[in-house]
Amino acid sequence: MSMHVQSRPRLTRDDLRSALKAAGNAHHEYEINALGGVRDPHWAGWYAAYLLGCVGDVALPSDVADWLSQVDDSSDWFEAATRVLCRNLDLR
């Protein structure tokens, strides 16, 4: 019996950026509604779990959280975070 395994489409930079934006929007709502407007000290782990739920298990959640927590606050955090993730996931 032959099994056909469908491969997952290749992850792209745009996929990561879109997933980060979605995580940001969802996390903002979480901070407002669940935390009463208090900043979440565990935001990086939250983002990592959300991101991996969107793009698949491309890395360990703890690694993704660590990479995200090291992103410098910049004028475009999502772009900076996308660059960090692409570098660590070896995406071009």
Side-chain angles (χ1 to χ4, degrees):
M1 175 185 236
S2 174
M3 285 183 40
H4 175 72
V5 177
Q6 186 174 355
S7 64
R8 183 180 299 172
R10 181 166 162 77
L11 182 64
T12 68
R13 185 181 199 292
D14 288 340
D15 295 334
L16 284 175
R17 186 168 170 84
S18 293
L20 278 170
K21 286 281 197 178
N25 291 332
H27 189 260
H28 178 73
E29 291 299 317
Y30 168 74
E31 283 183 326
I32 290 171
N33 297 318
L35 301 181
V38 175
R39 185 179 184 281
D40 179 9
H42 307 290
W43 68 270
W46 201 102
Y47 268 61
Y50 193 99
L51 177 86
L52 294 173
C54 291
V55 301
D57 296 331
V58 297
L60 294 173
S62 57
D63 288 343
V64 175
D66 185 49
W67 300 333
L68 291 174
S69 67
Q70 294 176 25
V71 174
D72 291 332
D73 283 336
S74 68
S75 60
D76 189 347
W77 184 87
F78 291 103
E79 180 59 32
T82 301
R83 280 193 307 270
V84 166
L85 290 174
C86 285
R87 183 177 60 244
N88 283 287
L89 295 172
D90 198 28
L91 295 180
R92 292 172 185 22

